[in-house]
Every structure is written in C-alpha cells, then in structure tokens.
Amino acid sequence: MMGFSCGDRVLREGRLLLGVVLAGALCGQMLAQVGASVESERARVQQDMENCRVHKVAGLPGSGGFASDFIETIASDPDPAANDADVYWALTADLSEAVPPWQRALYISKTADGGATWSAVARVGPQYFNEKIGEGLRNGFIASPGGTYFVITTQRGAFQVSPQAGNVNAAVVRPIKGPLVPDTPPKIPIPAKAGEPVRANVVDMTADGKRLFIGYGYFDRNPRLFRYRRDTDGRWVEDGEVERLPTEMDLLSVGFDEPKNVRPGFMYVGTGDQAYTLNLRSMDWSRVDGVGPDSAIHGMSVVGGLHIAACWGVYNPAGPGIVRRVTKATFLLHPTSDEAGPNLRAYSVEVDEERPTHEVVTSITGVYTSEDSGQTWRRLNELPLGEYRTAHFNADGTVLVSGMPGTFLVNPFSEACRPRLKRRK
C-alpha cells in the first residue's frame, strides 16, 4: 500500500483549501451578479412605471414556451398580521407541446417587490396533474399563513405543497384525501377511470390556517364540496362533506365574506350557472340576489362587498348578499368584432383594498379599469391584444395583469398616466 509523506498531505490539503476559496469566491461572484440583475430589473420596472409604459415581466420559471409566463392564479398571505402587501405568490403552468411530457410542470413563484421580479420556490411534476380539460387554466391555489406551504388543485385532486429551502425540485407534495371516481357511469363522460381521484377545483382557507374547503367535480353535473381540519402533524383531514349543494354545475370560484377573519360568517360560491352564499354556522345555502340566469361565475372579490366577474357581465355590490349588474359599460365583446356592450366574458374582478373605488376586470378582450366603483370603465389599449385572466393590486396602486400574451405591470390609475386629449396646434 502506497503511503503519503507529510509534504504530500500538506500539498493536497492546500489544493483543497484553494479550491474551497476559489469556489467561495465564484459563488459570491455569482450571487453578486444575480443581485445586480435583480436590481437592474427593478430599475427598469420603476423607469417604465414613471414613464407610464406597460412593463412586460420577465423571470418567471419554465421553458419560455407558449403561456409559460401566464400567471394562472395569485395567492396572498391570509394572515391578518401580514404587513407586506408586495409579497405574494403565483402559480404558472409550463405545459407547452414543445416541452417533453416528463419536463412539464406547475411552478409556484414568489415576488417580494410587487411583481417586478420573481423566484421559483417549488416545482410540481407531471405525476401530480393531468393536462386534459383545462389544466393550466382552472387550477386552485392558496397560501398558508406565512407562506410556509401551499394548497393546489389539479385534475388529479388536491395537494399540499411544502417548499424546501434552496431546492425548487425538492418540494414535498402530499395528496389531500378527496372523493374518487365511482364505478357507476357518470352523467357526462370524464377523462378519469373508476377509483381515480376526482378533479379538484376551488379551494379556500381561513386566515388562521385551521380550516379548509375544497370543491370537486368534472363538469359531470355532480359537484361536491368538502371541509377539512388541520391535524397535529400538519396534514389536512377530511371533516365532512357540505350537503345540499344548490347546483348541478361545477364550482368555479369561492371566497369568504371576511377573508381576514379567522371565523368568517359566510362563504360565497360561484358556479357554472349562479352565485350562492353558504352560512358557515347553520350550513344553509341561499342564492345571491341580482345575478342573471346562466351566469358562469369565474371570479369574485369581497372588498367593500361582493363583486362578480361572470360569463355575461360584471356585477357590483348593492347590499348584503345583493349585486347589481353593470349595464352602462361598453366593453369590447369579442376580439374579432367591433361590437361593444355590457355582456362581457369576464374572468376576474379585483378591487384595491387601499383605494376601494379602483377596480380591474380581466376578460376575453383584455383588461378594463374603473376609478369610480364600476360606474365607468376604460380598456387598457396599451396592452398586447389577447385574453387576460388574472390581476393583482400592489401597495402603490400599480397592477399586475396576466393572460395568454404574458404578464405585465401597469399604472392605470396614476394621475400622470391617464389618457388626455391633446389640443391641436
């Protein structure tokens, strides 16, 4: 056996120490470059906002293929003590046909500066979703208090996703027990076999992180809604099914009347045909008054009362459990025509908590804003043409909007950015 002299050992350890030093220097250099890149991007965003330009957001994870930078849904910290409104999370889906099936994924990303820059915190692989019937368009997504974990819904059910620091690919994904496809033939054919999880859709959590509601259904006229409680080991345990659902249509949206209250009194549920209220104490259902027939309720906001984004229009609050449809707006109804009117196919409605007269609606024909509580509206013509699905108000009043054309930061309510007619010389 060949031995090593003391000099050999010193030389070897010296080389190792030099390697560690060089590696540390290289790592520090890389971190400095990343930090400089982030600061540079923030500076570009600030410059665009100050000059009233639409800023296209870069840096969301994925291949960069079709719709990989489309934010499907946004989650904020439900904890009422959370005091940084510019920290929130986004769910994106990298499902382009150009991406090999085994590399397709859902990503959870975080911003700490109101959407200017993003960092991926968790990757959810293809074993947890099925791309059929709207995967990447109708997934539910919520954050726990403090953003320590998340709950997502997919075609394969509901999952609790716990990120692991420093490794996007190491997130712990736990299935949340839900209903299974029965042996009996469904009313409408579905892309799942008997014994497989039923597709999960809507999800919401109380502000204290102790109670969870998850909706299920496959557009098969058999929607179901379940309650869950948090176990001592941090897992979600089924606490019973909510009975007597007043609809056969799928559940499309959900929200508490007081999201920051640990024990809200009511939960609004939007379905494929109507909007309903669930009394969380008596567990009785009632219908939201004022919603037109056959209105698919794609999105809701409860800031200052219930606001609704529906298939055929936008609704503003008119009293407790009552809404009134916007009828005087001239929204562009379809991308291929010049027809205008109130019958907008709207996907989301957001209201600024700090400035409750400010509203944003995303739709099949773009993004619309109102600064007078929905009395008058204007279209953001500066955005690329296309269908937009999500929006989020930042603390400074700027808005993050996202859809098929990508994700953008806009400043539509700034006094300097309002459109004005120029006097001809």
Side-chain angles (χ1 to χ4, degrees):
M1 182 175 177
M2 185 178 296
F4 293 94
S5 67
C6 180
D8 291 332
R9 181 177 177 182
V10 169
L11 180 62
R12 183 177 61 185
E13 292 181 353
R15 288 172 177 167
L16 179 62
L17 179 61
L18 178 62
V20 170
V21 171
L22 290 175
L26 180 60
C27 181
Q29 184 179 5
M30 291 173 63
L31 288 174
Q33 290 174 348
V34 169
S37 176
V38 169
E39 288 306 315
S40 176
E41 183 62 21
R42 288 173 179 163
R44 282 193 291 271
V45 173
Q46 184 176 1
Q47 185 178 33
D48 283 348
M49 294 295 98
E50 289 175 351
N51 289 279
C52 302
R53 291 192 292 261
V54 169
H55 177 84
K56 184 166 186 180
V57 173
L60 288 162
S63 66
F66 175 73
S68 63
D69 57 353
F70 153 47
I71 294 178
E72 182 185 345
T73 180
I74 291 170
S76 299
D77 193 332
D79 186 352
N83 55 11
D84 195 341
D86 285 339
V87 174
Y88 49 94
W89 296 266
L91 182 70
T92 56
D94 194 12
L95 307 178
S96 168
E97 292 183 357
V99 179
W102 60 90
Q103 292 182 4
R104 295 171 190 170
L106 303 179
Y107 287 96
I108 298 173
S109 302
K110 179 181 180 180
T111 181
D113 50 20
T117 58
W118 293 86
S119 58
V121 298
R123 177 184 182 274
V124 179
Q127 67 270 36
Y128 299 108
F129 59 83
N130 184 327
E131 297 170 47
K132 299 176 183 177
I133 309 185
E135 196 81 83
L137 279 176
R138 291 195 178 278
N139 299 90
F141 174 54
I142 56 171
S144 69
T148 55
Y149 69 89
F150 307 88
V151 176
I152 64 171
T153 66
T154 80
Q155 294 284 356
R156 298 195 186 279
F159 301 92
Q160 179 178 327
V161 182
S162 301
Q164 304 299 300
N167 191 343
V168 172
N169 296 305
V172 176
V173 182
R174 293 178 174 177
I176 297 174
K177 185 179 179 181
L180 303 178
V181 177
D183 292 328
T184 55
K187 298 175 184 178
I188 297 173
I190 59 176
K193 300 176 182 178
E196 292 183 344
V198 172
R199 167 185 173 268
N201 39 46
V202 297
V203 58
D204 211 349
M205 180 191 300
T206 55
D208 58 2
K210 293 182 178 180
R211 289 194 295 168
L212 186 70
F213 289 81
I214 302 178
Y216 298 87
Y218 256 119
F219 295 99
D220 58 353
R221 292 166 50 200
N222 186 31
R224 303 177 72 180
L225 181 65
F226 285 79
R227 294 172 294 170
Y228 295 85
R229 56 181 169 80
R230 195 99 189 278
D231 207 348
T232 53
D233 65 352
R235 295 176 184 267
W236 287 103
V237 179
E238 183 187 319
D239 204 22
E241 183 172 1
V242 178
E243 299 178 347
R244 304 186 304 277
L245 260 68
T247 180
E248 287 188 336
M249 305 295 286
D250 253 28
L251 311 182
L252 303 181
S253 53
V254 67
F256 297 117
D257 63 331
E258 298 178 271
K260 297 295 185 181
N261 190 337
V262 297
R263 293 195 64 82
F266 298 90
M267 185 168 69
Y268 296 113
V269 178
T271 75
D273 63 345
Q274 270 296 323
Y276 299 92
T277 302
L278 174 64
N279 186 314
L280 295 175
R281 290 169 176 78
S282 67
M283 302 308 289
D284 291 327
W285 291 93
S286 60
R287 182 167 154 176
V288 174
D289 189 19
V291 179
D294 300 322
S295 296
I297 311 300
H298 294 138
M300 297 186 292
S301 170
V302 297
V303 177
L306 179 61
H307 300 73
I308 291 177
C311 187
W312 302 118
V314 179
Y315 295 82
N316 284 321
I322 306 173
V323 295
R324 182 178 294 114
R325 185 167 174 265
V326 172
T327 57
K328 295 182 180 180
T330 52
F331 302 117
L332 181 63
L333 301 186
H334 197 276
T336 60
S337 74
D338 292 330
E339 184 181 2
N343 299 330
L344 180 69
R345 185 181 180 90
Y347 291 116
S348 74
V349 54
E350 299 298 331
V351 182
D352 190 346
E353 290 189 25
E354 298 298 323
R355 310 160 190 87
T357 60
H358 292 181
E359 296 184 33
V360 172
V361 166
T362 62
S363 75
I364 192 173
T365 57
V367 179
Y368 298 84
T369 65
S370 172
E371 56 183 327
D372 55 10
S373 299
Q375 300 303 307
T376 59
W377 297 85
R378 77 176 183 92
R379 186 170 180 267
L380 298 188
N381 295 319
E382 303 85 359
L383 288 168
L385 296 177
E387 183 176 304
Y388 289 82
R389 294 274 182 148
T390 55
H392 182 86
F393 276 98
N394 292 315
D396 61 359
T398 59
V399 186
L400 183 79
V401 296
S402 190
M404 299 307 171
T407 298
F408 303 87
L409 273 166
V410 294
N411 197 16
F413 299 102
S414 166
E415 183 67 32
C417 298
R418 291 176 184 169
R420 289 180 172 83
L421 293 176
K422 294 183 179 179
R423 189 181 298 275
R424 183 179 295 176
K425 294 181 180 180

